[in-house]
Structure formats: C-alpha cells, structure tokens
Amino acid sequence: MKIAVLGTGMVGQALAGRLVELGHDVVTGTRDPQATLARTEPDGMGNPPYAAWATEHPQVRLATFADAVADAELVVNATGGAAAIPALQAAGADALAGKVVLDISNPLDFSQGFPPTLFVKDTDSLGEQIQREFPQARVVKSLNTLTAELMVRPTSLGEASSVFVSGDDADAKATVTELLQSFGHTDVIDLGDISTARGTEMLLPVWLRLMGALGTGMFNFKIVR
Amino acid sequence: MKIAVLGTGMVGQALAGRLVELGHDVVTGTRDPQATLARTEPDGMGNPPYAAWATEHPQVRLATFADAVADAELVVNATGGAAAIPALQAAGADALAGKVVLDISNPLDFSQGFPPTLFVKDTDSLGEQIQREFPQARVVKSLNTLTAELMVRPTSLGEASSVFVSGDDADAKATVTELLQSFGHTDVIDLGDISTARGTEMLLPVWLRLMGALGTGMFNFKIVR
C-alpha cells in the first residue's frame, strides 16, 4: 500500500521503518524537508536526528506534508499532538478527502513541565478535533496507548497485549485493524465511534506514571476478560 | 482488623462482604442508617437494596459515618465520587486522623447522561482533594479501575491482572497492598504519591467504553511488561 507517515520523530521513524519492512511504499512527511535533514542534534528525547535514520532507510522518501499525502492510500499522523492539525492542514483537506487517516498523536501539553497535562480531554478529544476539521477524511485513532517500538513490534513483549481502534467509518477501522495485525497485534478492540478516542487519549496520564514506576516504556495494557 | 466501609451500594457491599469472609470486623457507614434500611427498591444499576444484602450478612453492623469510623483501624471509602468528601466530613476529620483511608471512589459526573464525564481531572484528582481536605488521614487510592466483583475476587478472571496504589504514606500503601493481596491481587503496582491518582481516575473513560464494547464489566487491565 502507498502510505504517508506524517512526522519524522521517534514515532514516525518506527512506523515508517516497520511499514517498509512489511513491503509498503512509504513516504515520510515533514514541514520543511531541508530543515529536517539539516538537523544534526538528537531530539529532546535523545533520539538520533532523522538524517541518521534516513541513511539506513533509503527506500523511504522524505517530502513535504502535501507532497507526501498526494499519492497516499493511507495517511499515518505521527506528529506531536499540538502539531497534528497544522500538519494535516498543510497536507490539505482535499488531499485527505476519502483517505484513511490513522491518528497516533496524543494531546500532551508540556508547557508546565513533566508530567504533561492534556490540552483536550473528557468532553472532546484530539481524534474528534481532527475528524471535525477534516470531515471528508476517515479518521481512526489507534496506537496512541503504547511506546513506538511496541506499536510496530508488540510481540517483543513476549505476551499478547491489547490495542484499541476508535472511528466513525467501519471500513477504515477494518483497514487499520489489518495493518495492526500485520504488525503482530492479536487483540485489537473496536471501542466504537471517534468519540471513544477520549478514553484512549486519557490513558496517557497513567501510562506516564507507569513509565515512571516501572522505569521503562516497554509495557502495554492487556484487557484481561 | 477493624474496618469501616463507607457506602452501602454495590461497591460497599462487595468490599464489606469480602472483608467479613476474610475474618475482619466490619462496620458499614451510611448517612442515615434507618433510611438505608427502609429502601426496598433496587438502586439505579438494578442491584438489590442494602436491607436484602444485610440479612445475608448479619455480622456486618450498619452505622452512621461517624459511628462506623470511630473504632476503625482502616477506612474504605466506597461512596460515589460526589458523595466522598461529604461522607468523610460526616465521619469527622479528627476520627480520620492517622487512619489509613482506602479511597475507591471515582469523580464521575452523570449530570449530562451516559457516558459520564469527570468532575475533577488532569491537574487534580479526587484522591488529592480528599488528602487535602483531611491532611491527617493517610489516603491511598486504589481499586477504582475495576468492577466491584473483581476488586475483591480478581482470580475469578482466570488470569492475573493489575491494580494500582497511589498515596503519600508508604506504610499506608503497604497496609493496603497486603489487603489487596489477601483478596487475590498478585500484581499491585505502586505508582507513587497521591497525585498519581489522576492517572487511575482518568482510566474511567476508557473503562466505560470497554464495558460498552465488550458487553461486560468483568475485565481488568493487566500491565504486560
């Protein structure tokens, strides 16, 4: 499948790398490709700059948001939460019309330090904001409840765990579910319409505290039933 | 141990029943014992009235909040979220001083229908509000992330799952952890101080959506790592 991954940070790299490995035709999207490639410093989390990753993944083309999305069949939003709507606006509402948009972003607000708070919650969600802003796109919220490495390689935990999908379009959720299964996810739970993204986005606060308590982000929620 | 369980609904009944079964000396607390016993209708969730439960649990004495807490070594707050602080105020700050208060309540606001929203979240929590209101009490938030039946009998799921403790007092968390282990909980995760209750209280929205998607409340989060 032709897939555009918007965002060139740790999450975008993990998704793009895994999708290429699975045989997809992948373009990463960024605001300014020259600026992205020019960065030589690690990001705020200590991850190597995109250029270093790109030399190891020559099959992945880097493009502007608009260029990346133009020919894509599926769009992955792997930007930070605050950057999500601007990135998708740069991609263009017309280009997104009819396409499945897998939204992985979380509405984290780091302006008051760590742990971050949520800039939308409880009575609305970032997933819903994106769906409202791009009513022709078929938005599916998923994968925002676990660390990048486990999003794309969940079997590395050694035990099955769960992921969730939220969205208004059943076919789009089926497409995303198949993609998740190709990553190794065996328990994909359909929570319902896009408003159920409120629930998974509000998982972040306990996720962050668990990371602190366990000393690692390599864990995931499993719904035992 | 002498334990006061505040709240006579489904959660209070589950806790009081299990604690008696484990050999504890249990008193349930309510605002007006006569009114509680006079109720003959099922509650809003279809559970039988307290009086029916009480006839099957003659060892459990029903008392006012203040009377229930007076001799207790440990207090379980099993009221609804909005009733939590008023119930504890009725019990009395002096009576709570020095005692472990296991707070199970969730700040659910049903005023706009289902699903409920949270009346405190993200930058504060009900657990913290209770600790601030009763600075001499040793508040531990726990068990608010699963259904009453599984709080007290987690092994009925047939697979180990996780519960969390949040609190400022390490000894109080140790006491609660032992109690949870006596219920059958084998994975009790200490998230840190009482502010980490924000995380577990914000689990409720996804818990409620999972209940809808799975058609049952008989499930629990397991932290796979």
Side-chain angles (χ1 to χ4, degrees):
Chain A
M1 197 166 17
K2 289 186 175 183
I3 300 178
V5 176
L6 309 187
T8 56
M10 186 176 58
V11 177
Q13 291 174 24
L15 267 287
R18 182 68 162 138
L19 289 166
V20 160
E21 189 180 289
L22 292 169
H24 297 286
D25 184 357
V26 180
V27 184
T28 48
T30 190
R31 195 178 53 78
D32 178 345
Q34 292 312 323
T36 296
L37 289 172
R39 249 173 247 133
T40 54
E41 300 294 309
D43 70 10
M45 307 286 277
N47 303 295
Y50 182 83
W53 181 88
T55 59
E56 291 168 14
H57 297 83
Q59 317 94 314
V60 178
R61 186 166 67 88
L62 179 67
T64 63
F65 290 128
D67 187 14
V69 163
D71 292 329
E73 297 163 87
L74 185 145
V75 177
V76 178
N77 177 43
T79 66
I85 288 177
L88 292 164
Q89 284 169 334
D94 288 349
L96 295 171
K99 286 178 183 160
V100 176
V101 176
L102 166 54
D103 173 38
I104 302 180
S105 63
N106 276 305
L108 300 178
D109 175 359
F110 288 92
S111 66
Q112 305 302 311
F114 194 90
T117 55
L118 302 181
F119 63 74
V120 54
K121 63 218 159 207
D122 201 21
T123 55
D124 196 7
S125 63
L126 184 53
E128 288 164 273
Q129 290 183 337
I130 292 171
Q131 184 63 83
R132 284 199 304 273
E133 181 75 16
F134 306 97
Q136 309 283 318
R138 300 151 71 206
V139 178
V140 179
K141 186 97 200 186
S142 191
L143 289 184
N144 60 309
T145 56
L146 68 176
T147 199
E149 165 79 17
L150 294 177
M151 290 178 189
V152 297
R153 225 176 297 275
T155 52
S156 65
L157 271 182
E159 177 179 344
S161 55
S162 308
V163 285
F164 313 98
V165 290
S166 301
D168 295 341
D169 185 303
D171 288 342
K173 284 192 284 193
T175 298
V176 168
T177 298
E178 269 181 49
L179 200 65
L180 300 179
Q181 288 167 339
S182 75
F183 291 166
H185 291 285
T186 53
D187 185 30
V188 181
I189 300 176
D190 184 350
L191 292 176
D193 67 29
I194 191 66
S195 76
T196 63
R198 296 174 196 178
T200 55
E201 293 178 7
M202 289 172 85
L203 270 176
L204 264 288
V206 79
W207 190 93
L208 290 160
R209 297 303 196 145
L210 278 164
M211 183 176 66
L214 301 175
T216 176
M218 291 294 283
F219 64 86
N220 191 26
F221 301 97
K222 174 179 184 177
I223 307 303
V224 177
R225 71 270 196 194
Chain B
M1 199 166 16
K2 288 185 175 183
I3 300 179
V5 176
L6 309 187
T8 55
M10 187 177 55
V11 176
Q13 290 174 23
L15 265 288
R18 182 67 162 139
L19 289 167
V20 159
E21 188 180 290
L22 292 169
H24 296 285
D25 183 357
V26 180
V27 183
T28 49
T30 191
R31 195 177 54 77
D32 179 344
Q34 291 311 325
T36 296
L37 289 171
R39 250 174 245 132
T40 55
E41 300 295 308
D43 71 11
M45 309 285 277
N47 302 295
Y50 182 83
W53 181 88
T55 58
E56 291 168 14
H57 297 82
Q59 318 94 312
V60 177
R61 185 167 67 89
L62 179 67
T64 62
F65 290 127
D67 186 14
V69 163
D71 292 328
E73 296 163 85
L74 185 146
V75 177
V76 178
N77 176 45
T79 65
I85 288 177
L88 291 165
Q89 284 169 333
D94 288 348
L96 294 171
K99 286 177 183 161
V100 176
V101 176
L102 165 55
D103 173 38
I104 302 180
S105 63
N106 276 305
L108 300 178
D109 176 359
F110 288 93
S111 65
Q112 305 299 314
F114 194 90
T117 55
L118 302 182
F119 63 74
V120 54
K121 62 219 162 208
D122 202 20
T123 55
D124 197 6
S125 63
L126 185 52
E128 288 165 274
Q129 289 183 338
I130 292 171
Q131 183 63 84
R132 284 199 304 274
E133 181 76 16
F134 305 97
Q136 308 285 318
R138 300 150 72 203
V139 178
V140 178
K141 186 97 199 187
S142 191
L143 290 184
N144 60 309
T145 57
L146 68 176
T147 199
E149 166 78 17
L150 293 177
M151 289 178 191
V152 298
R153 226 175 297 275
T155 53
S156 65
L157 271 181
E159 178 181 343
S161 55
S162 307
V163 285
F164 313 99
V165 290
S166 301
D168 295 341
D169 185 303
D171 288 342
K173 285 193 283 193
T175 298
V176 167
T177 298
E178 269 181 50
L179 200 65
L180 300 179
Q181 288 167 340
S182 74
F183 291 166
H185 290 285
T186 54
D187 186 29
V188 181
I189 300 177
D190 183 349
L191 291 175
D193 67 27
I194 191 67
S195 76
T196 63
R198 297 174 196 177
T200 55
E201 292 178 7
M202 290 173 82
L203 271 176
L204 264 286
V206 81
W207 190 93
L208 290 159
R209 297 303 196 145
L210 279 163
M211 184 176 66
L214 302 175
T216 175
M218 290 294 283
F219 63 87
N220 191 26
F221 301 96
K222 174 180 183 176
I223 307 304
V224 178
R225 74 268 197 193

